[in-house]
Amino acid sequence: MTETISTPKPRPARGPRLPFSVALEPRLRIPKWLPWATSLGSVALALLLTALILLYVGGNPLTSFRAIYLAAFGNLGVFSDTLVKATPLILTGLACLLPFRMRLWNIGAEGQFYLGAWGATLIVETLFGKDASPWLFIPLMALSGFGFGALWGFIPGLLKARLNVNEIITTLMLNYIALFFVAYWVFGPWSERGFQMTPTFPRAAWLPRLADYATVFKPFSGLTVHLGFVFAVLACAAVWYLLTHTRFGYEIRLIGDNPNAAQYAGVRIALMTIMVMMLAGGLAGLGGMSEVTGVVHRLQDRISPGYGFTAIIVAWLAKLNPWAVIPVAILFGGLIIGSREIQPSGIARMLQGILLFTLISSEVLNRYRIKFERAK
Amino acid sequence: MLEQLFAPAVIIGILASGIQLATPYLYAAVGEMFSQISGVLNLGVEGVMLMGAFIAYYAVLRTDNLLLGLALAALTGALMGLMTAVISVTLKAEQGISGIGIYLFGLGLSDLLFLVLVGTPKAIVGFPELDLPVLSGLPALGPILFSQNILVYFAFACVPLAWFILNKTTLGLKVRAVGQTPEAADSLGISVARVRYIAVIVAGTMAGIAGASLSIGLLNIFQQNLTSGLGFIAVALVYFGGWRPFRVMLGALLFSMVNALQLWIQTLGIALPSDIAGMLPYILTIIALIFAARQIVTQPTALTKPFERGE
């Protein structure tokens, strides 16, 4: 063979030698059922991986999963507790879903939740005497919770819109700042006799629970579901309406699908970024408000076992569909309730982590067809 | 009280612990820099660090063998790096979100393993301080720079090493190429996927070591969520440093000095509520990012973008 000088030929990629080769082929059309099928598949895979890890550290996965299931869905009483846990997850889930729709990665629902809880407490601590009416307390606390949550969303929104600062890192940092901020208030100015919590809120500032009506309707006794759950469902409806029936929602989806086209169509992306982050922060803040006024009835350190992070998974598993957030959040509420019953405590968090990446990874199946070819 | 801060012994103390505290930031940020320059935003650092910290701690607790602990932490980091690479390079997953998955996984698993295998925190004997001959005897400079543990020296040695690899070797050129113009690199026969795999696994390994430097070099203990955001700050430091090793180092030093100052303020009993002081590193991170955004930086063009070969 004669020597020729030519442009270097692309080297064949050196991979592991298998009897077949794997190629990804983009799908032209995604069947409607496919995304849900891959989601279910990734949930199953995550459970399997968690089971293997549990086996490895010497636990019995079947007993653990059964214990989780019974503790979360075993009877009406525990199911009501599950709904209580689902409430903050729905609201923080929406706080992730809305910005995710425009590919804005709000990882800060946790911090926004804390600020909302703080905002609600601010009303109790400063504005009223103990005998004010619930009709005054509840709307004002909801407003304040929403407002302070929105403020916590405004900061990363503004930084992203004006300076293109990565919103993932700023929202993460604001989570830590919010934790310290709340800790400061409950240890310091609002502390009850030096304990790390505020005094219990006056009854008028409690969100009504089903159990409060047990005298009228007997079967309600012991049911802990509170008004916050109604807020959460209403918020789902509102977000759904916003996304599908308004110009605002249309622009969010447009930016998510094709930012260049959106820009060209005259969508003010910077303004949208700020508004969506504020709205998201407000929703998470409402979650925090509902948690302190409906469940804890005081502000204290560590009121959230990571709702804001679980919310990311909730939003993703719900395929960014506002209505799907409700069942998914109930499922995860059950997981949180159930994993309190079993030891060790890291299981729920680890399962969530695994689930998030099986879920994200499974998306490749939606976008590509996997082809196995025989090696030549 | 404030004048106490300016006593020479205190200043030396702050600077010495500042240098020491820079260690985990340096390992994590230098590793992360490789990943980002190759085009992969690796947000799982925090989770990898937690796993590295736990594995190193546990190995030392059981065997008293510091090097084994360090090696296992690096290996754990490499494995988690491989996992990250599969998810973000091969499966082309959304990098911001999948990184949070790795974080939650590391957070949960390290907690689980700690509770199952250890239970209550027990202190271990970590890497001893290594006084460099002659140099450690220097006034002021000696205690600040030359009487640290070996992981500290290595962390600083990583910086010029990273600079050399990135700027003077073929591998470094490839890493930069696949992060800047993957299409061009691909057309020249560079396997974009393979180079990114290498970079992400390097980042994982370094994050594992960063965790170990915390649990068996600095604090000599493990507890739930030991890193408390340090890994995320390391990611921010890479932005702040404009993807340049020495600038990243300056950023790491800035942060560790602030940390050290904050610890000393509390030790000296200066009245600043600890929760307010605790916020400082995170506020500083946001401010640092604002400054990083204002200067014209050369962000790798393909950062967070999975590579698809055009047809």
Side-chain angles (χ1 to χ4, degrees):
Chain A
M1 236 190 181
T2 48
E3 290 269 324
T4 50
I5 299 164
S6 62
T7 48
K9 280 197 194 116
R11 260 185 298 158
R14 267 186 287 160
R17 284 175 197 285
L18 296 171
F20 54 86
S21 68
V22 184
L24 295 178
E25 196 175 80
R27 279 179 196 277
L28 298 177
R29 222 168 45 81
I30 301 172
K32 238 188 151 89
W33 54 270
L34 189 69
W36 298 100
T38 51
S39 288
L40 271 179
S42 46
V43 172
L45 184 63
L47 283 174
L48 188 71
L49 288 173
T50 310
L52 287 178
I53 292 174
L54 271 176
L55 266 182
Y56 184 72
V57 299
N60 181 337
L62 285 181
T63 328
S64 298
F65 289 157
R66 196 179 141 75
I68 291 180
Y69 173 77
L70 284 179
F73 304 104
N75 60 54
L76 197 60
V78 293
F79 183 63
S80 151
D81 291 345
T82 295
L83 289 185
V84 170
K85 287 287 166 195
T87 304
L89 285 176
I90 295 174
L91 286 162
T92 48
L94 291 173
C96 295
L97 179 148
L98 198 62
F100 285 7
R101 270 292 181 95
M102 60 179 278
R103 305 183 65 76
L104 191 60
W105 308 114
N106 178 22
I107 313 295
E110 183 82 355
Q112 293 146 9
F113 177 92
Y114 270 92
L115 257 282
W118 182 87
T121 312
L122 181 70
I123 299 289
V124 180
E125 287 287 330
T126 56
L127 275 184
F128 298 114
K130 303 242 175 262
D131 44 353
S133 145
W135 293 103
L136 202 60
F137 257 128
I138 293 171
L140 270 174
M141 288 194 300
L143 211 63
S144 169
F146 189 94
F148 280 97
L151 174 74
W152 227 232
F154 171 74
I155 300 169
L158 181 75
L159 291 177
K160 170 79 178 179
R162 289 274 166 265
L163 296 167
N164 200 23
V165 175
N166 184 313
E167 76 279 12
I168 301 178
I169 302 175
T170 46
T171 50
L172 270 166
M173 292 298 122
L174 284 168
N175 287 343
Y176 291 99
I177 297 171
L179 268 170
F180 279 110
F181 180 73
V182 166
Y184 166 73
W185 284 90
V186 297
F187 278 101
W190 290 349
S191 168
E192 183 184 35
R193 287 172 288 129
F195 289 104
Q196 52 204 69
M197 49 174 80
T198 64
T200 309
F201 293 172
R203 279 308 284 251
W206 293 19
L207 291 181
R209 293 185 290 205
L210 278 187
D212 297 346
Y213 301 97
T215 44
V216 190
F217 187 62
K218 202 79 190 355
F220 280 173
S221 73
L223 295 188
T224 46
V225 179
H226 55 85
L227 188 64
F229 186 70
V230 180
F231 287 177
V233 174
L234 288 178
C236 283
V239 169
W240 168 79
Y241 184 83
L242 189 75
L243 279 171
T244 50
H245 286 77
T246 66
R247 187 191 159 84
F248 187 75
Y250 170 74
E251 290 187 348
I252 290 177
R253 288 182 290 131
L254 189 61
I255 297 171
D257 291 341
N258 190 339
N260 291 334
Q263 184 112 45
Y264 190 68
V267 176
R268 282 181 291 176
I269 297 182
L271 184 68
M272 291 295 288
T273 302
I274 296 174
M275 293 204 341
V276 166
M277 281 304 291
M278 286 181 74
L279 203 53
L283 286 166
L286 196 60
M289 174 268 174
S290 123
E291 192 72 1
V292 285
T293 55
V295 183
V296 197
H297 301 136
R298 58 167 24 130
L299 185 63
Q300 58 190 30
D301 206 14
R302 313 260 153 203
I303 43 168
S304 158
Y307 291 130
F309 287 105
T310 308
I312 300 168
I313 311 169
V314 169
W316 213 269
L317 194 57
K319 298 277 157 207
L320 306 189
N321 173 335
W323 289 116
V325 163
I326 300 176
V328 173
I330 291 174
L331 218 60
F332 275 83
L335 184 63
I336 292 175
I337 287 278
S339 59
R340 281 201 311 211
E341 305 294 316
I342 54 162
Q343 288 303 323
S345 66
I347 295 176
R349 177 78 34 107
M350 185 185 66
L351 173 59
Q352 291 175 17
I354 296 180
L355 181 57
L356 185 56
F357 55 71
T358 55
L359 205 57
I360 304 264
S361 313
S362 75
E363 258 152 51
V364 75
L365 296 174
N366 297 341
R367 286 182 283 130
Y368 300 91
R369 196 187 292 278
I370 296 186
K371 284 186 80 173
F372 294 96
E373 282 163 353
R374 229 175 246 194
K376 284 155 209 155
Chain B
M1 268 217 221
L2 207 59
E3 60 270 25
Q4 275 180 288
L5 263 183
F6 298 102
V10 173
I11 292 180
I12 289 177
I14 292 175
L15 292 177
S17 41
I19 296 275
Q20 203 181 14
L21 290 172
T23 317
Y25 287 123
L26 277 174
Y27 284 118
V30 168
E32 172 71 17
M33 190 176 59
F34 273 90
S35 172
Q36 287 195 16
I37 290 178
S38 83
V40 181
L41 175 62
N42 175 15
L43 267 180
V45 186
E46 176 87 1
V48 181
M49 278 179 75
L50 279 167
M51 280 305 294
F54 172 76
I55 297 286
Y57 168 80
Y58 186 63
V60 172
L61 188 68
R62 278 293 141 93
T63 65
D64 283 319
N65 188 336
L66 290 165
L67 288 180
L68 179 72
L70 188 64
L72 287 178
L75 185 69
T76 309
L79 284 175
M80 290 181 78
L82 179 66
M83 199 160 83
T84 313
V86 171
I87 295 171
S88 0
V89 181
T90 305
L91 300 179
K92 306 176 203 283
E94 177 59 50
Q95 290 168 13
I97 302 296
S98 62
I100 299 298
I102 305 264
Y103 158 60
L104 291 176
F105 172 69
L107 179 64
L109 186 59
S110 61
D111 189 22
L112 175 76
L113 290 172
F114 178 71
L115 287 170
V116 172
L117 300 174
V118 185
T120 46
K122 301 181 190 80
I124 50 157
V125 182
F127 280 95
E129 271 150 32
L130 192 72
D131 291 337
L132 296 189
V134 188
L135 290 173
S136 62
L138 291 174
L141 281 183
I144 295 174
L145 294 179
F146 302 114
S147 152
Q148 305 277 10
N149 74 55
I150 191 150
L151 292 179
V152 180
Y153 299 125
F154 273 126
F156 281 90
C158 281
V159 178
L161 187 66
W163 178 85
F164 182 80
I165 293 176
L166 281 171
N167 293 299
K168 300 288 169 195
T169 65
T170 329
L171 177 67
L173 185 66
K174 285 181 182 173
V175 170
R176 284 184 290 134
V178 300
Q180 208 67 39
T181 47
E183 298 79 15
D186 182 60
S187 73
L188 288 174
I190 298 172
S191 163
V192 175
R194 190 143 51 99
V195 174
R196 285 186 174 172
Y197 261 77
I198 293 171
V200 174
I201 290 172
V202 165
T205 312
M206 298 284 280
I209 295 174
S213 78
L214 210 55
S215 68
I216 62 173
L218 243 151
L219 307 170
N220 300 332
I221 195 107
F222 185 85
Q223 61 183 41
Q224 189 205 18
N225 197 12
L226 181 79
T227 49
S228 57
L230 219 146
F232 292 125
I233 294 181
V235 175
L237 281 176
V238 178
Y239 279 80
F240 179 65
W243 296 272
R244 294 190 192 107
F246 287 98
R247 287 222 209 158
V248 169
M249 182 182 80
L250 283 183
L253 278 171
L254 175 69
F255 269 81
S256 59
M257 290 298 169
V258 170
N259 272 355
L261 190 66
Q262 171 212 328
L263 292 177
W264 275 89
I265 284 175
Q266 282 170 36
T267 318
L268 293 176
I270 290 172
L272 180 69
S274 64
D275 292 313
I276 301 290
M279 289 179 197
L280 287 178
Y282 309 105
I283 296 177
L284 189 65
T285 306
I286 295 179
I287 296 173
L289 282 175
I290 295 172
F291 274 98
R294 289 174 66 92
Q295 63 190 1
I296 301 160
V297 287
T298 46
Q299 172 163 346
T301 338
L303 187 58
T304 77
K305 294 190 186 78
F307 173 65
E308 315 239 4
R309 191 179 271 174
E311 298 302 325

